[in-house]
Amino acid sequence: MSRLDPQPAERIDRSKKVEFKFDGKSVTGFEGDTIASALYAQGQRIFSRSFKYHRPRGIVSASGWTANTLVQDGEWPGVRATTERAKHGMEIKHQNAWPSLNFDVMRASDIFGGPFMPAGFYYKTFIWPRSAWPLYEKVLRHAAGLGVMKKSQAHREWRTDYRRRHCDVLVIGGGVAGLSAAIAAAREGADVVLVDEDVEPGGQLLWQGKHEQARKLAEEARAAGVEIMSSAPALGYFDGMVPVWQGSTLHQIRAQRHVAATGSIEQPLVFPNNDLPGVMLTTGALKLAALYALKPGENAVIATTGERGLEAALALQAAGVNVIAVADLLPNRSNELTAAVEAAGIQLMRGMTVVEARGNKHLKGCTLAQIDENGVAKPGTEERFDCDLLAVSGGTVPASSLMLQAGAKAKFNSEANCFLPENPPPGIHPAGAVAGKEELEAAALSGTLAGARAAQECEFGDGSAATAAANALEALPTPAPAAPSPAYQRTAKPTGKAFLDLDEDVTTKDMKYAIEEGYDSIELSKRYTTVTMGPSQGRVSQLPSIRAVAAQTGLSIDETGITTARPPWSTVPLGAWAGRPFTPAKRSAIHARQRELGSHVKWAGDWRRAYDYGDVKGEAAAVHQAVGMIDVSTLGKMIVSGPDAGQFLDRMYTNRLSDLKVGRIRYGVLGNDAGRITDDGTVCRVADDSFLVTTTSSGADAVERWFTWWLAAWEMEVHVTDVTQGLCAINVAGPKARDLLGKLTDADLSNEGFGYLDGHQIQIAGVQCLAMRIGFVGELGYEIHYPAACGQYLWDQILEAGTEYGIKPFGLEPQRILRLEKAHIIVGQDTDSESNAYESQMGWIVKLDKEEDFMGKWALERANERGMVNTLVGFKIDGDDVPIEGSAVVVDGQPAGRVTSARYSELLGQSIGLAWVPAEHGKDGSPLHIKYGSKNQTATIVHGAFYDPDQERLRS
Amino acid sequence: MSFLLNCPICGTREVTDFGFGGEIVVRPQDRPGERELNAYNYFRANTDGVQREWWWHRAGCRTWFQAERNTSTNEVLWTAVPEITDATQAPVSPVAQARAAGGEELR
């Protein structure tokens, strides 16, 4: 329908068809088409409805510079139809229109709601009553939203990767400046990467009739060894690292030097109905014609402030568009270009511009006129035209966002009529439009200059190439002048909205009201009106909005200033930043066997652990009555060895460990210099100069880090080896534990030969083990540490040997009940970052009389002098009502503490737990009031263990 | 935040390979007063500019080392494994030398 005869630079392969669906209807395009160009070829002109007023919107830039052409691609919202390649079988849907693009009921907000929906309307209207917000939100989400997001994915089907690339010079942008820079740097010998957002390098050359030059430059760059990455937008600048998104990979490129050759963005003009489909930038019209062989309109009018519009007129005429008139705002331009335009039979209207566009769903005509200094049409100069294409060019702005993110400052340059980045940080070289060099030859030379300098700074080349380019650049004539665009050009009595920002539907009126309401700085009015805050990040709305603020406040454009540039510069899925989901699971060497035994597995920190085997009560009872076994391989395990090992442990723990005899064990608490408990565990002296230290399961990493950190500072002769993964550990506990192990070992297990808190290296079932008699679960027990390679073997041997005693493997949940019966704390559950050993009822383990100083000594001395403020106590409740962990402890009707652990103990026939209470309310036998949900419970405080307080069973 | 750090053992790596140990704080030698203890435990200089700090090669050799980094620009000037016998002494770095010589702060 709209397809032209083959164009020299076209990107489509007419021999290959691509079929996809748009709103359920079949669309056929060619390979190389974008979603938008294929649709346009079939006559689609409306691509979306606008954000607020639901006005019809079409193609503007064909470059993804507005939100007009965002579509839903299957599960992907916000896909840029003008840059995303059409692929077979795509299911494309429109966004933000209901029931259809052609008829949208919300358009009523444009037709009737206009005067009643100024900027800030939502802020002012939907805040009252507060409780109604969820309802408002639901309605507004339906009315506004862009696309539909899949809320959850059971498995993330889409994978993203990252790649790190280090190079000498990174060139951002593949236009003539970028390619020239890359060639110059690579020829000097530098390792150069060039990234470009388009499907092939060349930038504007590709659609301005110079595609052969573009391809030649790209060839030269490749031949010089440049790594060219296409379809790869640079997203930002982070301390010299530039993330580049390509396909599903985030390339983290780190270069010694950067060349910013990010090009320019053509700017629109602001006039009534400037958002109608059919109103395009000359960029958009030219790209459609040159790259996709599409006729952007039958009858065209062009409005321009510079030579771009004149060039566009000739190019469009050549492509078969009937160009009726060109309005050049500059009144006195007369050169070869103007002569060519007139020779082509195009009406050249000097000193005029567009003051309104007409049409309902598509452009039908426009009015050109001379304007006064306020942008209002001078009476009698108005001329009306019928046209279906209005190509506008309000000059260009450099795409300087990346340079500004890197720390350059934007300064308005009245000659170039735009903000240029100045004072870039060292190592960043601007080239082309961002260096103020837009003209083809100047851009190429500034690229060569930037590339050669960047290479030289990496110690490649002698600088002669840079000098030559600089001299040639000096010799170039100054570029042709452009007319400054007015803030708002219009008829004497304008009808229709004039848009500053198409993404966010911000009109000139919104900006006027915002400033009248006092939001008179650019940063404030931006936030209030949301101008430039849409998906295209101000690409074609920043300069118009600055002009609007300047015109209204009377400040100059320079004084008005520019808003802060922030990443990401290009649209990128959140998943790109997130990378692959990474939640490593640790499993002990015995884990698989426990699964076979029917364990229920839960997360415990990084570990997957057996929570129970389906019978919590029975498992706990087995430990009390016969024997049970639990896999405790998750405990942190470290060998601390060396001549100073004992002395070092004395410094780290609150108690003394250097006097521990070989083969003996002591419990220890680790703290920091603020006196807070950070971890706990046992220490067994396995040799004169060697200790096996265990930590909590979750604390293994932190304790290793803590130990090695202090060792780095103190330089003691100590070596710390983390053997957490190298050793398995099984706790065999219960009155029959000794009998059981006796079947598997010849070692003396008698109470006299192997007493409580002894740690002996013995053989069990032929496996060399360190068996330690400790009692976390309150019964006679042996914690057996042995090589992980024998993990399942020894587990099986013990389980089999225990069958006659009724052994049961038990999980984490029964262990929690058992330890609670002994009132043993779990660091991190019963303590927090404010808990010290005294308040945690472990003052007995603080040896302030140790001569040497130790971690936390000074703070603990003070805590001891000051006395307790709060204290951790045990409590019991008759019956089986268990307060939720975290329940409030209430004193005089006020919350004064909290429950940290609570379980029902079958053995005791009571609910038991631990709680923090104010010290004066923590006496043994005192009542404890607990509130959880609507329930109030009175418990009784118990000091010491609930079960076997004299440790007779442990020591038997 | 994104920069490179030179592990004295393994060589230059992305900062994401490392763990941060904070600015270097000297542990008091003798029993400190309450104020000194609190300052040591809870207060940091939070320097805007070059500071001496601890890093740890978490995803590598797990060695603790010291670095001098400009906290404004993330430029790393120097790294080394401390070779010291007590915490009050510090290894000699370019910044320390410049300071000792009465020179200007490196920025």
Side-chain angles (χ1 to χ4, degrees):
Chain A
M1 261 160 67
S2 309
R3 210 65 93 161
L4 297 165
D5 293 334
Q7 298 291 304
E10 72 182 26
R11 233 171 228 185
I12 47 172
D13 181 348
R14 292 176 190 242
S15 66
K16 290 179 187 152
K17 290 210 158 81
V18 172
E19 281 176 45
F20 64 97
K21 289 251 165 49
F22 179 69
D23 285 345
K25 278 178 285 183
S26 188
V27 180
T28 308
F30 296 123
E31 202 169 284
D33 258 325
T34 62
I35 296 166
S37 68
L39 283 168
Y40 194 93
Q42 295 208 346
Q44 188 76 35
R45 293 295 178 269
I46 302 174
F47 285 81
S48 69
R49 289 283 174 156
S50 70
F51 186 63
K52 199 157 111 186
Y53 302 117
H54 289 252
R55 288 165 68 103
R57 292 284 165 82
I59 294 177
V60 170
S61 66
S63 312
W65 293 342
T66 69
N68 283 9
T69 44
L70 293 183
V71 294
Q72 177 97 18
D73 170 12
E75 287 172 5
W76 293 86
V79 171
R80 291 184 294 175
T82 47
T83 56
E84 188 75 21
R85 287 283 170 112
K87 287 194 273 293
H88 259 299
M90 276 179 153
E91 297 271 352
I92 307 294
K93 287 192 174 70
H94 74 267
Q95 296 184 165
N96 203 32
W98 187 84
S100 76
L101 277 175
N102 260 331
F103 177 72
D104 183 350
V105 293
M106 286 298 289
R107 180 76 196 270
S109 69
D110 179 31
I111 296 161
F112 305 111
F116 308 111
M117 285 181 68
F121 174 75
Y122 292 97
Y123 302 146
K124 290 168 184 165
T125 311
F126 295 106
I127 56 164
W128 192 89
R130 271 277 183 234
S131 57
W133 172 247
L135 177 68
Y136 294 149
E137 192 185 13
K138 214 174 167 184
V139 175
L140 291 178
R141 285 253 180 270
H142 180 68
L146 290 172
V148 182
M149 190 82 170
K150 197 172 168 186
K151 278 188 182 161
S152 66
Q153 293 182 7
H155 301 285
R156 198 173 137 188
E157 298 120 24
W158 178 63
R159 295 284 188 179
T160 52
D161 284 305
Y162 71 83
R163 168 198 180 224
R164 285 183 178 144
R165 173 74 161 91
H166 295 250
C167 60
D168 296 320
V169 179
L170 172 64
V171 180
I172 304 160
V176 65
L179 284 168
S180 304
I183 293 167
R187 283 191 179 155
E188 299 283 21
D191 176 17
V192 183
V193 176
L194 181 145
V195 297
D196 184 63
E197 61 184 354
D198 207 346
V199 294
E200 64 172 318
Q204 300 184 32
L205 297 178
L206 292 170
W207 44 272
Q208 286 181 342
K210 304 185 183 78
H211 57 284
E212 279 165 8
Q213 188 184 347
R215 279 161 202 165
K216 195 171 143 275
L217 281 171
E219 276 303 300
E220 281 178 40
R222 284 197 186 92
V226 177
E227 180 186 339
I228 295 179
M229 294 168 59
S230 290
S231 301
L235 305 176
Y237 184 94
F238 299 85
D239 294 329
M241 193 275 281
V242 175
V244 173
W245 178 240
Q246 188 191 40
S248 58
T249 303
L250 189 76
H251 301 261
Q252 301 176 13
I253 303 182
R254 192 180 291 283
Q256 292 189 55
R257 293 292 181 269
H258 296 86
V259 175
T262 39
S264 63
I265 297 165
E266 192 173 34
Q267 295 297 293
L269 298 171
V270 180
F271 53 90
N273 298 322
N274 61 343
D275 66 326
L276 273 175
V279 179
M280 291 186 197
L281 294 168
T282 65
T283 303
L286 290 174
K287 275 189 158 180
L288 288 184
L291 299 177
Y292 307 105
L294 293 168
K295 201 171 194 180
E298 293 296 331
N299 301 300
V301 170
I302 293 171
T304 185
T305 58
E307 290 191 346
R308 262 180 181 255
L310 302 173
E311 284 163 0
L314 292 171
L316 290 173
Q317 182 95 318
V321 178
N322 173 32
V323 180
I324 306 166
V326 180
D328 181 357
L329 189 54
L330 205 66
N332 52 4
R333 196 193 311 270
S334 192
N335 55 21
E336 282 172 25
L337 205 52
T338 56
V341 168
E342 282 171 323
I346 300 167
Q347 201 180 342
L348 179 61
M349 310 183 76
R350 292 189 173 89
M352 292 182 77
T353 190
V354 60
V355 289
E356 70 170 5
R358 289 186 301 277
N360 183 19
K361 284 180 183 165
H362 196 274
L363 179 75
K364 287 203 173 76
C366 65
T367 304
L368 304 181
Q370 291 180 21
I371 50 169
D372 64 17
E373 66 278 9
N374 294 320
V376 180
K378 289 181 185 166
T381 64
E382 296 173 8
E383 283 191 50
R384 290 163 71 95
F385 292 86
D386 288 336
C387 59
D388 62 349
L389 170 64
L390 174 60
V392 299
S393 178
T396 60
V397 298
S400 53
S401 185
L402 289 176
M403 286 196 64
L404 299 179
Q405 283 176 37
K409 296 278 170 273
K411 182 105 180 96
F412 191 73
N413 182 310
S414 52
E415 256 174 57
N417 197 21
C418 62
F419 284 90
L420 284 177
E422 288 190 353
N423 300 323
I428 299 181
H429 300 274
V434 286
K437 306 292 179 197
E438 257 237 89
E439 305 291 312
L440 180 58
E441 205 179 339
L445 283 170
S446 79
T448 304
L449 173 62
R453 281 224 181 111
Q456 197 189 350
E457 285 173 8
C458 303
E459 294 174 5
F460 294 100
D462 56 5
S464 57
T467 313
N471 291 339
L473 202 52
E474 280 285 305
L476 286 181
T478 47
S485 311
Y488 174 28
Q489 48 203 50
R490 57 198 185 272
T491 52
K493 283 188 180 154
T495 52
K497 297 181 173 74
F499 287 88
L500 295 171
D501 187 333
L502 298 176
D503 293 11
E504 297 284 293
D505 262 3
V506 181
T507 66
T508 48
K509 235 176 216 166
D510 292 326
M511 189 59 92
K512 181 166 172 278
Y513 291 148
I515 291 167
E516 280 169 4
E517 287 181 35
Y519 300 95
D520 56 356
S521 95
I522 186 72
E523 292 281 7
L524 289 177
S525 57
K526 166 183 161 180
R527 281 157 181 77
Y528 191 58
T529 63
T530 70
V531 72
T532 74
M533 286 165 72
S536 51
Q537 289 288 291
R539 279 169 169 79
V540 289
S541 55
Q542 188 176 49
L543 196 54
S545 63
I546 293 168
R547 279 207 191 95
V549 173
Q552 176 89 2
T553 57
L555 296 171
S556 72
I557 290 189
D558 201 23
E559 287 164 334
T560 304
I562 194 166
T563 52
T564 309
R566 293 190 178 86
W569 170 238
S570 288
T571 317
V572 65
L574 273 178
W577 301 110
R580 287 196 178 211
F582 185 65
T583 29
K586 289 186 184 175
R587 293 180 180 84
S588 91
I590 321 170
H591 186 78
R593 180 66 87 237
Q594 293 165 57
R595 294 297 302 271
E596 287 165 20
L597 292 168
S599 65
H600 297 127
V601 178
K602 285 194 181 180
W603 284 101
D606 290 343
W607 291 92
R608 300 289 288 155
R609 289 195 75 177
Y611 195 71
D612 62 47
Y613 294 81
D615 179 16
V616 173
K617 284 180 195 169
E619 292 162 35
V623 176
H624 284 307
Q625 289 155 17
V627 61
M629 65 193 291
I630 180 170
D631 177 7
V632 290
S633 304
T634 59
L635 291 170
K637 299 174 278 286
M638 276 180 291
I639 293 169
V640 178
S641 57
D644 299 334
Q647 194 203 345
F648 172 68
L649 293 175
D650 281 353
R651 286 204 202 177
M652 301 314 291
Y653 286 86
T654 59
N655 52 346
R656 186 183 291 282
L657 294 158
S658 57
D659 63 351
L660 198 60
K661 291 189 174 59
V662 172
R664 289 288 290 166
I665 299 163
R666 210 166 275 166
Y667 172 74
V669 167
L670 284 165
N672 56 23
D673 265 327
R676 316 300 189 193
I677 295 175
T678 54
D679 209 275
D680 70 345
T682 56
V683 179
C684 175
R685 190 165 210 155
V686 291
D688 270 342
D689 61 351
S690 186
F691 298 81
L692 181 81
V693 171
T694 66
T695 74
T696 61
S697 295
S698 54
D701 222 38
V703 173
E704 186 216 353
R705 193 164 68 228
W706 181 243
F707 280 10
T708 52
W709 191 12
W710 285 106
L711 283 173
W714 288 332
E715 216 192 43
M716 298 172 86
E717 283 194 61
V718 178
H719 199 83
V720 175
T721 311
D722 183 357
V723 292
T724 302
Q725 310 273 359
L727 294 182
C728 268
I730 300 173
N731 185 12
V732 181
K736 300 287 182 199
R738 181 179 287 123
D739 296 346
L740 188 164
L741 288 183
K743 287 169 66 181
L744 298 171
T745 182
D746 298 332
D748 179 7
L749 296 178
S750 71
N751 214 13
E752 296 71 39
F754 196 161
Y756 183 59
L757 294 181
D758 277 352
H760 289 178
Q761 297 183 57
I762 60 175
Q763 284 211 342
I764 301 173
V767 179
Q768 187 67 30
C769 302
L770 175 64
M772 303 198 280
R773 252 195 85 178
I774 43 187
F776 188 54
V777 294
E779 297 287 350
L780 164 71
Y782 301 85
E783 193 175 284
I784 302 161
H785 293 246
Y786 63 103
C790 302
Q792 282 196 7
Y793 167 76
L794 192 57
W795 172 275
D796 290 346
Q797 293 292 313
I798 294 170
L799 192 60
E800 198 188 319
T803 314
E804 66 177 283
Y805 306 104
I807 192 168
K808 278 194 178 179
F810 63 101
L812 214 48
E813 175 59 20
Q815 181 182 249
R816 284 190 181 150
I817 297 171
L818 294 164
R819 68 94 195 176
L820 202 53
E821 288 166 350
K822 292 294 293 179
H824 286 154
I825 66 159
I826 295 178
V827 170
Q829 171 157 344
D830 301 306
T831 66
D832 62 22
S833 60
E834 290 297 296
S835 311
N836 71 39
Y838 290 110
E839 297 194 330
S840 307
Q841 295 297 343
M842 293 197 291
W844 53 272
I845 206 165
V846 181
K847 306 295 182 197
L848 291 177
D849 55 352
K850 264 203 283 186
E851 290 144 34
E852 314 85 345
D853 114 57
F854 60 88
M855 277 297 133
K857 181 181 186 182
W858 307 313
L860 287 167
E861 282 173 351
R862 286 179 170 78
N864 191 32
E865 287 160 18
R866 200 169 48 234
M868 287 185 275
V869 179
N870 293 299
T871 182
L872 184 66
V873 295
F875 66 84
K876 60 181 184 189
I877 302 170
D878 290 331
D880 58 1
D881 204 7
V882 182
I884 303 158
E885 288 174 355
S887 298
V889 168
V890 179
V891 174
D892 299 333
Q894 296 296 317
R898 66 182 200 285
V899 173
T900 59
S901 294
R903 288 289 186 280
Y904 177 71
S905 165
E906 197 75 25
L907 178 80
L908 304 169
Q910 285 175 319
S911 292
I912 53 172
L914 295 170
W916 282 95
V917 298
E920 68 269 27
H921 295 284
K923 292 183 187 68
D924 198 6
S926 303
L928 181 74
H929 302 288
I930 300 171
K931 185 172 164 59
Y932 54 104
S934 56
K935 281 190 189 171
N936 286 292
Q937 268 284 11
T938 302
T940 310
I941 290 176
V942 178
H943 283 193
F946 300 97
Y947 172 68
D948 188 27
D950 300 323
Q951 302 197 343
E952 284 165 13
R953 295 180 73 88
L954 266 184
R955 295 169 183 275
S956 62
Chain B
M1 189 178 77
S2 169
F3 55 94
L4 301 178
L5 260 177
N6 183 38
C7 169
I9 310 295
C10 304
T12 304
R13 298 286 188 278
E14 290 282 340
V15 67
T16 46
D17 281 15
F18 296 88
F20 183 51
E23 68 185 61
I24 288 174
V25 177
V26 176
R27 194 165 187 269
Q29 288 291 84
D30 302 311
R31 187 179 200 265
E34 185 110 37
R35 225 164 223 292
E36 195 190 342
L37 180 62
N38 285 339
Y40 157 65
N41 271 325
Y42 301 113
F43 288 84
R44 296 294 178 266
N46 202 20
T47 307
D48 174 11
V50 177
Q51 85 171 5
R52 179 80 60 84
E53 55 199 21
W54 282 108
W55 286 87
W56 170 60
H57 199 180
R58 181 169 46 84
C61 62
R62 297 174 88 84
T63 298
W64 280 96
F65 61 92
Q66 297 188 349
E68 273 179 358
R69 178 179 62 104
N70 186 323
T71 58
S72 305
T73 63
N74 278 333
E75 188 186 0
V76 179
L77 305 166
W78 169 90
T79 58
V81 174
E83 288 178 25
I84 47 177
T85 47
D86 72 73
T88 55
Q89 284 181 10
V92 178
S93 71
V95 174
Q97 283 171 343
R99 277 181 193 146
E104 281 184 30
E105 298 266 309
L106 291 181
R107 287 288 315 225

